[in-house]
């Protein structure tokens, strides 16, 4: 399987925060959802993948190429969709097309006008008058109009209503049918990922905790419930985190098989949602 992006030992240091030694591969032809709590380092990582920020150390290869020698060739193949308005606010879509189109070898006016039509975007109104959803669609229309192979999006669904989000997920899914396109996007809305993601990359405190297929995540992670008498130093090793209450314990495991071997039928094992996984890995406090 080919990777459209490969990060090796990538580190970026800010005052008080570091993205630390990230190894990340983005598989070609799939949708990868990039999750993690506020401040985990997702945007920083995406910016490095877009060459908007330079890592202090490590290597980033996009489509097997390096930004140092192939910046233009790489950018040709990526459509970047930001959260919010990236265009000059006073410009309308016609102006933006005039500025952006010549920058891309594979710009396709027919595709641009098709999406403008499909998204019901006005060509002559200033972008600053667009709603958040319209701005997102405008940004996506431009990304799609140069036949980008990789669509990178930083929180594209933030602040959008549920119906719009659902339509967007449907649209993204449609874009995937020919098998050549890749989508990588960060989000806090894990239900969007249940709908379309093939892989989940999870960041926490500047580190990549995992990058697994959605099936692997479902197979490996589970919530376990049982009586407190079952817990001791040995049995607890099967858990990533345990919450104790007077009525029993609840825990997250990343090794369902080990839990089954250790506890047999004496515990209840339930599927963990992405939200459960994020919550437990973050070290949520016992609330019972
Ligand atoms: N240019 C910068 N200078 C200093 N610190 C920065 C800079 N950019 C980001 N940070 C810090 O890096 C940390 C990670 O930020 P980042 O935006 O990458 O997180 P995130 O996972 O995208 O968060 P969110 O989900 O809230 O958007 C934060 O603590 C942030 O304050």
């Amino acid at each position: 399987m080919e990777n459209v992006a490969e990060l090796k030992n990538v580190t970026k240091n800010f005052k008080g925060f570091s993205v630390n030694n990230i190894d990340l591969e983005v598989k070609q032809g799939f949708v990868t959802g990039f999750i993690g709590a506020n401040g985990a380092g997702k945007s920083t990582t995406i910016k490095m993948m877009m060459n908007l920020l330079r890592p202090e150390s490590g290597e980033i290869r996009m489509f097997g190429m390096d930004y140092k020698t192939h910046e233009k060739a790489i950018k040709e193949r990526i459509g970047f969709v930001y959260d919010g308005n990236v265009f000059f606010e006073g410009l309308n879509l016609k102006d933006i097309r005039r500025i952006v189109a010549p920058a891309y070898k594979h710009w396709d006016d027919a595709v641009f006008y098709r999406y403008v039509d499909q998204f019901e975007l006005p060509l002559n109104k200033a972008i600053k008058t667009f709603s958040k959803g319209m701005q997102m669609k405008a940004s996506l229309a431009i990304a799609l109009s140069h036949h980008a192979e990789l669509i990178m999006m930083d929180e594209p669904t933030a602040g959008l209503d549920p119906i719009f989000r659902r339509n967007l997920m449907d649209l993204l899914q449609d874009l995937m049918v020919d098998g050549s396109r890749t989508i990588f996007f960060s989000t806090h809305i894990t239900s969007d990922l249940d709908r379309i993601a093939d892989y989940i990359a999870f960041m926490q405190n500047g580190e990549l905790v995992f990058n697994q297929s959605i099936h692997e995540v479902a197979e490996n992670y589970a919530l376990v419930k049982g009586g407190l008498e079952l817990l001791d130093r040995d049995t607890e090793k099967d858990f990533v985190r345990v919450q104790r209450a007077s009525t029993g314990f609840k825990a997250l495991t990343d090794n369902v098989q080990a839990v089954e071997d250790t506890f047999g039928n004496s515990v209840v094992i339930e599927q963990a949602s992405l939200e459960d996984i994020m919550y437990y890995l973050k070290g949520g406090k016992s609330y019972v």
Side-chain angles (χ1 to χ4, degrees):
M1 197 175 333
E2 275 197 39
N3 298 319
V4 293
E6 280 177 356
L7 281 67
K8 283 199 188 115
N9 294 321
V10 168
T11 293
K12 175 82 199 170
N13 298 314
F14 293 127
K15 206 167 168 227
F17 177 83
S18 297
V19 164
N20 209 356
N21 251 335
I22 299 252
D23 284 327
L24 171 67
E25 293 176 350
V26 180
K27 307 260 183 300
Q28 196 234 320
F30 293 96
V31 177
T32 297
F34 196 24
I35 61 172
N38 289 127
K42 302 180 298 297
S43 293
T44 304
T45 304
I46 287 176
K47 281 181 194 149
M48 288 193 286
M49 290 165 81
M50 289 304 303
N51 204 29
L52 300 171
L53 266 182
R54 293 270 157 78
E56 259 92 59
S57 58
E59 194 187 339
I60 296 179
R61 295 184 81 78
M62 306 297 289
F63 310 101
M65 296 179 283
D66 196 308
Y67 273 114
K68 280 190 202 95
T69 48
H70 290 87
E71 164 128 33
K72 183 137 176 56
I74 294 171
K75 290 277 177 79
E76 281 277 343
R77 295 166 72 173
I78 304 178
F80 189 24
V81 179
Y82 294 72
D83 170 23
N85 181 13
V86 285
F87 307 115
F88 294 111
E89 291 209 323
L91 297 184
N92 61 33
L93 267 179
K94 248 164 105 182
D95 300 329
I96 290 170
R97 188 204 71 83
R98 214 174 30 239
I99 296 166
V100 171
Y104 291 104
K105 238 194 277 174
H106 300 293
W107 179 269
D108 188 332
D109 260 345
V111 174
F112 176 72
Y113 287 113
R114 181 157 56 77
Y115 279 115
V116 165
D117 202 41
Q118 184 183 331
F119 295 163
E120 298 176 352
L121 295 169
L123 281 164
N124 294 313
K125 274 178 87 173
I127 296 283
K128 67 180 170 200
T129 67
F130 283 16
S131 70
K132 206 169 165 52
M134 286 162 78
Q135 286 182 17
M136 219 292 299
K137 280 179 170 172
S139 185
L140 189 59
I142 288 167
L144 294 171
S145 298
H146 62 92
H147 293 286
E149 292 160 56
L150 168 62
I151 307 284
M152 294 263 288
M153 299 183 286
D154 196 1
E155 295 195 34
T157 52
L160 301 180
D161 74 60
I163 306 296
F164 187 101
R165 285 210 320 269
R166 215 164 161 150
N167 286 335
L168 177 67
M169 291 302 125
D170 288 345
L171 172 85
L172 294 179
Q173 196 139 49
D174 289 347
L175 294 176
M176 296 302 291
V177 287
D178 69 2
S180 62
R181 206 170 251 134
T182 305
I183 296 178
F184 184 85
F185 75 108
S186 67
T187 182
H188 288 291
I189 303 166
T190 50
S191 57
D192 290 347
L193 298 174
D194 294 334
R195 216 162 265 137
I196 65 159
D198 304 295
Y199 286 85
I200 304 291
F202 174 34
M203 256 193 121
Q204 180 170 271
N205 300 332
E207 311 219 342
L208 189 73
V209 180
F210 63 71
N211 179 20
Q212 294 179 352
S213 76
I214 203 126
H215 304 294
E216 284 171 308
V217 174
E219 261 170 36
N220 295 338
Y221 286 92
L223 285 182
V224 184
K225 293 177 188 170
L228 290 175
E229 72 285 356
L230 298 169
L231 295 177
D232 59 39
R233 209 186 292 166
D234 278 337
T235 58
E236 278 190 39
K237 283 191 186 128
D238 294 341
F239 300 125
V240 176
R241 186 166 298 272
V242 181
Q243 275 188 332
R244 289 178 171 76
S246 54
T247 48
F249 76 88
K250 241 161 80 174
L252 180 78
T253 182
D254 60 359
N255 190 342
V256 178
Q257 190 58 54
V259 169
E260 283 171 354
D261 293 346
T262 306
F263 297 100
N265 289 330
S266 58
V267 292
V268 177
I269 300 177
E270 292 172 357
Q271 199 176 340
S273 66
L274 289 172
E275 222 171 279
D276 291 328
I277 295 170
M278 287 170 73
Y279 172 74
Y280 277 86
L281 286 176
K282 183 119 179 70
K285 290 212 169 62
S286 179
Y287 50 83
V288 193

